[in-house]
Amino acid sequence: MPWTRDEMAARAARELQDGFYVNLGIGIPTLVANHIAPGLDVTLQSENGMLGLGPFPREEDVDADVINAGKQTITELDRTSYVSSADSFGMIRGGHIQLSVLGAMEVAENGDLANWMVPGKMVKGPGGAMDLVAGVGRIIVLMDHVDKAGTPKFRKACSLPLTGANVVDMIVTNLAVFRRPDRRSAFELVELAPGVEAGDVRAMTEAGYVEMILEGAGPEPSA
C-alpha cells in the first residue's frame, strides 16, 4: 500500500541527525516536524525569521501570530527565537542549514528540481526555494510519485522552469525512496512502500535509476 503523506514525512524525518539545523518547505515537508525522534537535537528554521519551530498545535493551542513561512500556525519551543528575514536568509545563503526538505512538481534523473511554477498559471514567486537549493548542503524532496493525471514526476528531464540544477540528493514518494551517494551519481531505488513492487515503481517512473533492493541480484539499471 502506498505511504500516506504522514508516513512520507516520517520517512524523511529518519534522515535528521543530532545537531542539524533544518528548513522545511511548504506542503508535505511541514509534517516532518511532527515526526522528529524524541531526544534528537534538531532546530527547525523558517525563512520568515523563526528559529526553533515546534510541531503543529492542537486546536486549543493555536496562536494566529505564530506561523511558519507558509503561513501555517505552529508552536514555539522553550528555545525558540526570532530574527529578521534578512538574517534568516543569511543563515541559508551562508551555508548554516544542513538539510532542507522540499516539495516538488518534478525532479529529473540528474537531480534538477522544478517546484515553483507552471507556465500560464498565476504564481506568487519562488519564495526561498532558490536560496535553499543553492545554500543548503543536502536536499530531500517529498512528492507524490505521479501527478493527478498519472504523469510521472520523477522524469528524465524537467519540463517546468527549474528551481535549481543538480540539487536533489534524496526523493521520498508515496511509493519508494531514491537516493544517490553524491551529485555525480545516479539515483538508486533503496526502499519500497509496503506492498509496492519494484516493477510497479519502474512502470510509473520516467527517470532512469539503479535498483539496489533486488533480492539475489546485484545493482541493475532500470529501463
Side-chain angles (χ1 to χ4, degrees), residues 6 68 73 77 80-81 98 110 120 141 144 153 156 164 167 178 192 222:
D6 249 324
N68 61 20
T73 55
L77 304 173
T80 298
S81 60
Q98 283 77 39
N110 67 349
V141 162
D144 290 328
K153 298 177 70 171
K156 287 193 173 296
V167 295
F178 303 86
L192 296 169
S222 69

Side-chain angles (χ1 to χ4, degrees), residues 96-160:
H96 303 292
I97 307 298
Q98 283 77 39
L99 174 68
S100 184
V101 185
L102 301 173
M105 298 172 186
E106 295 176 341
V107 176
E109 62 184 39
N110 67 349
D112 291 353
L113 170 66
N115 79 341
W116 74 280
M117 76 166 295
V118 176
K121 294 188 177 182
M122 187 175 69
V123 294
K124 296 180 180 179
M130 291 181 178
D131 294 275
L132 288 165
V133 299
V136 176
R138 187 170 185 231
I139 302 295
I140 297 176
V141 162
L142 296 184
M143 65 180 186
D144 290 328
H145 205 87
V146 299
D147 64 19
K148 293 180 180 179
T151 303
K153 298 177 70 171
F154 187 21
R155 311 190 58 168
K156 287 193 173 296
C158 291
S159 65
L160 299 173

Side-chain angles (χ1 to χ4, degrees), residues 27 33-34 75 90 94 96 117 123 160 181 185 208 212 214:
N34 293 336
T75 58
H96 303 292
M117 76 166 295
V123 294
L160 299 173
S185 302
M212 302 295 291
L214 297 177

Side-chain angles (χ1 to χ4, degrees), residues 157-172:
C158 291
S159 65
L160 299 173
L162 294 186
T163 308
N166 190 21
V167 295
V168 178
D169 302 290
M170 181 174 180
I171 306 166
V172 180

